Amino acid sequence: MGRQTYLIRRGGAYSARLRVPLDLIEAVGRKELVKALGTNDPAEAKRLVWAVVDGWQRQFDALRNRAEMTDGDKGELVWSHYSGTLERDEVRRANTPQQADVDQALERAVERVGREGLDIHDPLQMLDAVMDADVMKNRRSGSGSVDAHVRQTKLADLRKHLATGENALVRHEIEAYLKQRNLTIDAVDRGELSRQLIRAEIEALQRTLERDDGNYGGEPADRLIKGLSGRVGAAKGESIEEVFEVFAAENVSGVAPDRINQMRRDIELFSQVAGKGFSVGQIDKKLVREWKALLIKFPVKATEMLAFKGMELREIVAANEKLKKKVLSDRSVNRYLSSLSALCKWLVNNGYLESNPVTGMSLAKEHNSTTLPFTTDQLNTLFNSPLFTGCQSADVWSLMAKEGNVLIRDHRYWVPLIMLFSGARPAEIGQLMLADVREEHGRWIMHITTEGDGDKRTKTKGSMRVVPIHPMLVRLGLIGYHAAQVKAGEARLFPKAVRNARGQMMAEFSREFSRYLTRIGIKEGRGISLYSFRHGVTDALRRAGYLDEQFGLILGHTQGTTTGRYGVMAHGVLEQRATLIDAIDYPGLDLGHLRDARRLLLASNLLKPQP
C-alpha cells in the first residue's frame, strides 16, 4: 500500500486510514480502520500517522498468530461465567443496607431536625433531612423485589435466546475472552459456545432466585454446568496461585528466597496461559506443551520493554513476530520449565497430580552453553588487567577497562580471587559478615551460613559450610583487608556489595564482570562468566586426585548439618578440609605481581587505593 493512502483529510483535519487485509476482515469486523490524528498540519500528521499504523499492524500480527480455542478454554469461560454471576450477586447482597443502617440514618435525621430547627411541616426541609434514610429504606425494602424482577426478566430472555440461537446477551463475554488470550474460534464453535454460556447464566440466575428464599444449597441441574464444576476452576485453596504459596512456604528443598521469588514469577507467566484461578489438578502435558511453545518465542526481558507494556505472554509473542526482539535461549526456556517441574513434583507428592507433566519436556541443551572454566592464559590475562593492577576509574571500570592509577580493593577485586581458591558462590562471599571470617584451630576460615546478623541467604541448607581460607589469599592480603574493615567499624566484609531490587546479592557485579571479560578479550559469546571460577576449582581438585563426592562439601553440594549452620568443627575435620583447599592449584598461573606491584606502587604514591 502506498504511503499516501495512510493519510486522509476530513474537514481540514487529518486522520490515519488503513485497509484491513482480506483474511482479517471477519475478525476485525470492518474493511477499513480510521483514526483522527487531531491536527491539520500535514507535517505533524505525517509524524503521527506511523505510530497509529504500526499499532494496527501489530493487531493484525496478533490476530494472525492466534491459537485455536481449546475445549479447556471453552470450559474455563463457561464456568467463570457461571461462577462470576454468582459472585456478583453475593457482592450485591453484601452491599444491601441492613435494618440497623436504616435506623441509624433515621436517628441522624431526627438529630438534624432538632439541631437545625427544621420545620416538620415543610415538605422540602423534611425531604432533605430524611433523604439518606429514605434512600436506604427504599433500597432495603424495594431493591430486593426490583432486582428479583430484573433477574426473572433476564432469565426469561435467556431462555428465549437459547431456543432461537440469539447470542446478543453473551457475545461480549466471548469477544473479551478471545482478545485477552489471543484465541480464535470458528463460527460453528462460536454458536455452540454462546449456547453454553447462556445455559451457564440460566443456571446461575436460578441459584440467585433460590438465595432470595434463603436457600444457598442449590446445585446446577444442567449436566453441562454440573460436569464443569468438578474439573474447571479451582476449589478454594487449589488454584495455581494459592497452591504455589503453600509450596513456597513449605520449601521442602530448602532453596534460597531468590530462587523462590524467581519461581513465583515463572509460575505467574504459566498462569497467563492456564488462566487465572486455574486448578492445579488440571495441569497436563498439553498445557505445558502450549506454554513451552510460547516460551521458545518469548523475548528476553520482555516485561521490562516499553514495547510490550501491558501485554501478557500470548500478546507479547504475537507482537514480537514483527519486532523481532531476541528470544529466550533454550537454557532459559528450560529454567522456566524447571520452576514448573519443581512445583508439579510437589503436587504429585501431595496428591494433587498423579504424575509430573513436565517430565521429559525440556529442550535439548544448547551447543556450547555449558559454563567453562578459565584456561591458564585467560586467568593470567584477567589478573594482569586494570581491575587488578590499576584502572582509570573505579566507577566505569567494566566499560573503560583501561590502565590507570586507581587501585580497586573492594568486593570487585576480592570476590574473583576468593572464588578462584574456594569455589564459593559470589553471593555467599558478598554477604559475609566480619564474624564469619575468623581463626579456628590456628587456621583462618570462612563460615558460609544464614546465622548471625543481616539478611543472609544460602542456596540450600547444605550450602551452609565451613571453608578454610587458601594460603594464597592470605599472602595476597585478605586477612589484612579483614583487619582494616574491623578497624573501620564495619559489620560486613564487603560493605559495598549490595542486593538489587529483587534481593539478589552480587547480581550487578556479575553482569558487569561479564562485560569486563568481553572488554579485555577473554569472553566471546557464552561459556565464560563469574561462575567459571567455581568450575575451575572442581577441575583443580580433580587434578589433585580427589573424587567429586570427596569435595562436594567444599562447594556446598551436601545435606545440611549443624556444623554448617553454627561453624563448630573438630580440629581433625578442619584439617581434612584444609588439605582439600590447599590442593587447589593452577599450574602456570602467576599472581605474585598482585602482592608485589601493590606494595611498590602504594609506597611510591602512584596508586590511589579504593577501600
Side-chain angles (χ1 to χ4, degrees):
M1 186 177 291
R3 178 186 179 105
Q4 66 275 14
T5 61
Y6 290 132
L7 277 177
I8 57 174
R9 189 167 185 174
R10 293 179 174 177
Y14 285 93
S15 295
R17 179 182 67 180
L18 182 66
R19 293 189 182 93
V20 176
L22 294 176
D23 61 317
L24 297 178
I25 289 176
E26 182 180 357
V28 175
R30 64 185 80 173
K31 295 182 179 180
E32 186 178 74
L33 298 175
V34 177
K35 182 177 181 179
L37 297 176
T39 182
N40 56 9
D41 182 353
E44 179 71 2
K46 289 179 181 179
R47 185 183 68 82
L48 295 173
V49 70
W50 293 107
V52 176
V53 172
D54 183 64
W56 284 335
Q57 294 288 5
R58 288 192 193 183
Q59 292 177 21
F60 295 160
D61 291 340
L63 288 171
R64 288 195 174 99
N65 284 281
R66 291 178 301 174
E68 190 73 26
M69 194 176 194
T70 66
D71 290 340
D73 295 325
K74 297 171 188 174
E76 180 191 9
L77 176 57
V78 173
W79 177 258
S80 66
H81 190 61
Y82 173 80
S83 59
T85 302
L86 292 179
E87 288 172 4
R88 288 189 292 274
D89 176 73
E90 193 61 31
V91 171
R92 178 190 61 77
R93 294 175 190 275
N95 291 328
T96 299
Q98 302 300 305
Q99 185 59 49
D101 299 320
V102 177
D103 293 342
Q104 288 179 3
L106 285 172
E107 289 177 6
R108 289 194 297 270
V110 172
E111 290 176 358
R112 181 182 173 188
V113 170
R115 183 175 64 252
E116 299 181 12
L118 300 180
D119 184 354
I120 61 174
H121 300 294
D122 186 333
L124 291 178
Q125 290 188 27
M126 292 308 297
L127 178 63
D128 181 59
V130 301
M131 179 69 74
D132 290 344
D134 195 43
V135 169
M136 285 189 181
K137 184 178 179 180
N138 288 335
R139 284 179 59 195
R140 176 164 174 76
S141 61
S143 66
S145 59
V146 172
D147 182 72
H149 177 70
V150 171
R151 284 180 279 131
Q152 288 169 342
T153 301
K154 187 174 185 181
L155 183 58
D157 289 341
L158 286 167
R159 284 174 172 152
K160 291 178 183 177
H161 287 192
L162 186 61
T164 61
E166 174 61 58
N167 68 354
L169 293 176
V170 296
R171 187 184 302 138
H172 65 286
E173 291 274 355
I174 297 175
E175 295 303 326
Y177 188 90
L178 293 175
K179 182 178 180 180
Q180 181 183 19
R181 289 165 173 75
N182 199 33
L183 300 174
T184 185
I185 186 172
D186 62 35
V188 174
D189 283 351
R190 183 188 291 267
E192 177 58 29
L193 180 58
S194 298
R195 288 188 289 274
Q196 291 180 358
L197 284 176
I198 291 173
R199 290 165 65 182
E201 191 162 0
I202 287 173
E203 279 288 344
L205 288 174
Q206 288 175 328
R207 299 291 83 70
T208 67
L209 294 174
E210 291 166 0
R211 290 176 177 181
D212 290 343
D213 296 327
N215 177 13
Y216 275 73
E219 294 289 339
D222 189 317
R223 284 186 295 177
L224 168 69
I225 312 305
K226 192 172 184 177
L228 288 174
S229 66
R231 68 182 176 85
V232 179
K236 183 174 177 58
E238 293 191 1
S239 69
I240 294 177
E241 298 85 358
E242 291 171 317
V243 173
F244 179 83
E245 294 308 321
V246 178
F247 161 78
E250 288 190 10
N251 194 9
V252 292
S253 299
V255 301
D258 289 350
R259 176 59 181 146
I260 289 290
N261 289 333
Q262 180 64 65
M263 293 173 69
R264 181 178 287 104
R265 290 189 291 270
D266 296 344
I267 298 303
E268 286 173 355
L269 202 61
F270 176 70
S271 293
Q272 292 180 17
V273 176
K276 185 174 178 60
F278 190 83
S279 171
V280 292
Q282 301 304 315
I283 300 176
D284 57 16
K285 280 192 174 291
K286 180 180 179 183
L287 188 58
V288 177
R289 185 171 65 248
E290 181 182 356
W291 187 48
K292 180 174 72 171
L294 290 167
L295 289 175
I296 291 172
K297 299 178 181 180
F298 192 62
V300 176
K301 296 185 177 180
T303 56
E304 301 175 14
M305 296 184 185
L306 290 177
F308 304 122
K309 186 176 181 180
M311 298 184 186
E312 290 197 342
L313 177 59
R314 294 182 192 276
E315 298 171 305
I316 291 173
V317 169
N320 199 47
E321 292 291 330
K322 181 176 181 180
L323 295 177
K324 305 297 183 185
K325 300 290 187 181
K326 181 180 178 182
V327 298
L328 297 177
S329 66
D330 290 355
R331 185 177 184 181
S332 294
V333 171
N334 285 343
R335 195 217 70 212
Y336 280 94
L337 291 171
S338 71
S339 295
L340 181 59
S341 183
L343 173 62
C344 289
K345 179 181 178 182
W346 182 89
L347 293 175
V348 171
N349 293 338
N350 285 270
Y352 292 96
L353 292 173
E354 292 185 1
S355 61
N356 187 343
V358 190
T359 301
M361 300 287 276
S362 296
L363 300 173
K365 289 186 177 180
E366 298 171 288
H367 182 62
N368 291 332
S369 66
T370 303
T371 301
L372 302 172
F374 291 106
T375 65
T376 301
D377 287 342
Q378 288 172 331
L379 288 175
N380 279 319
T381 298
L382 173 62
F383 291 115
N384 278 281
S385 69
L387 172 59
F388 296 92
T389 60
C391 59
Q392 288 188 2
S393 171
D395 295 327
V396 292
W397 61 275
S398 62
L399 297 177
M400 295 180 64
K402 294 182 179 180
E403 295 181 359
N405 64 346
V406 176
L407 189 66
I408 294 176
R409 283 299 182 269
D410 55 18
H411 62 283
R412 295 169 291 182
Y413 173 87
W414 283 111
V415 167
L417 286 168
I418 295 173
M419 291 186 71
L420 180 69
F421 289 108
S422 70
R425 300 176 179 90
E428 294 172 339
I429 300 170
Q431 70 181 7
L432 285 171
M433 307 298 290
L434 289 176
D436 295 331
V437 178
R438 57 183 182 268
E439 197 170 12
E440 295 282 351
H441 303 298
R443 179 76 186 231
W444 281 88
I445 59 102
M446 290 188 303
H447 184 200
I448 297 170
T449 179
T450 60
E451 299 299 312
D453 297 331
D455 182 19
K456 297 163 67 178
R457 310 169 187 177
T458 56
K459 186 173 183 180
T460 65
K461 292 179 180 178
S463 297
M464 291 190 284
R465 61 199 186 278
V466 172
V467 181
I469 292 178
H470 195 283
M472 178 57 77
L473 294 174
V474 177
R475 289 196 292 272
L476 290 174
L478 179 59
I479 306 306
Y481 170 85
H482 175 272
Q485 297 303 309
V486 172
K487 185 177 181 180
E490 298 288 353
R492 296 175 51 227
L493 185 62
F494 301 113
K496 291 185 179 180
V498 297
R499 298 187 184 277
N500 63 11
R502 290 161 60 177
Q504 299 169 319
M505 175 65 75
M506 303 296 292
E508 182 65 27
F509 173 65
S510 182
R511 286 192 295 271
E512 291 296 314
F513 190 76
S514 289
R515 293 170 185 164
Y516 182 74
L517 293 177
T518 301
R519 288 282 183 181
I520 62 176
I522 291 179
K523 179 180 174 66
E524 290 184 9
R526 300 173 184 264
I528 298 296
S529 70
L530 193 58
Y531 267 77
S532 293
F533 292 116
R534 190 167 159 83
H535 288 263
V537 168
T538 297
D539 285 355
L541 289 170
R542 288 171 180 166
R543 284 196 303 269
Y546 292 102
L547 302 176
D548 289 15
E549 56 266 29
Q550 291 177 290
F551 58 78
L553 52 88
I554 292 294
L555 299 176
H557 288 165
T558 58
Q559 296 296 316
T561 65
T562 55
T563 296
R565 171 170 291 183
Y566 300 113
V568 179
M569 182 170 292
H571 181 258
V573 176
L574 181 59
E575 282 187 334
Q576 293 173 1
R577 294 197 182 184
T579 301
L580 282 169
I581 288 295
D582 292 351
I584 298 173
D585 185 43
Y586 302 91
L589 173 62
D590 182 10
L591 298 178
H593 65 285
L594 295 183
R595 180 183 52 197
D596 297 338
R598 177 176 182 271
R599 182 172 57 247
L600 292 173
L601 290 171
L602 280 175
S604 60
N605 292 319
L606 293 177
L607 286 178
K608 301 173 183 177
Q610 298 292 308

